[in-house]
Amino acid sequence: MEAIYARQSLDIKDSLSIETQIEFCKKHCMENAEPLVYRDKGFSGKNTKRPAFQEMLTDIKEGKIERVIIYKLDRLSRS
């Protein structure tokens, strides 16, 4: 199963919306099945205790997800 993760820390003019990130990622899905989608809004990339992010990590550990697609690497975490 494939998954998409999208995060947006703030609603600002030049920020890419979560829905736009998801639509971009769907173009890169390899499976015909609808991917699982995890969304975190209003969370900094420094905070790894984001609800959807933690749920996704649990699903990966349980073997539900084989591949995660993200718009940019900084959507997962900051340095």
Side-chain angles (χ1 to χ4, degrees):
M1 168 80 50
E2 292 178 312
I4 292 173
Y5 179 76
R7 179 186 62 80
Q8 183 182 21
S9 54
L10 299 172
D11 267 331
I12 54 176
K13 185 178 180 181
D14 295 333
S15 179
L16 197 62
S17 75
I18 286 179
E19 293 308 316
T20 302
Q21 292 177 48
I22 292 168
E23 288 308 311
F24 174 85
C25 292
K26 282 184 177 181
K27 295 175 185 174
H28 298 280
C29 289
M30 296 172 69
E31 298 177 4
N32 290 331
E34 190 70 20
L36 293 173
V37 178
Y38 300 87
R39 299 170 174 86
D40 277 317
K41 188 166 188 165
F43 291 93
S44 166
K46 292 191 285 186
N47 175 8
T48 58
K49 296 186 191 237
R50 304 181 300 265
F53 184 73
Q54 290 299 316
E55 180 184 358
M56 180 182 70
L57 290 179
T58 298
D59 288 348
I60 291 169
K61 289 175 187 173
E62 292 177 357
K64 295 178 184 175
I65 298 171
E66 297 175 10
R67 179 175 180 228
V68 177
I69 303 164
I70 54 173
Y71 174 70
K72 283 175 61 177
L73 191 56
D74 70 356
R75 299 298 86 200
L76 284 180
S77 182
R78 299 278 188 204
S79 59

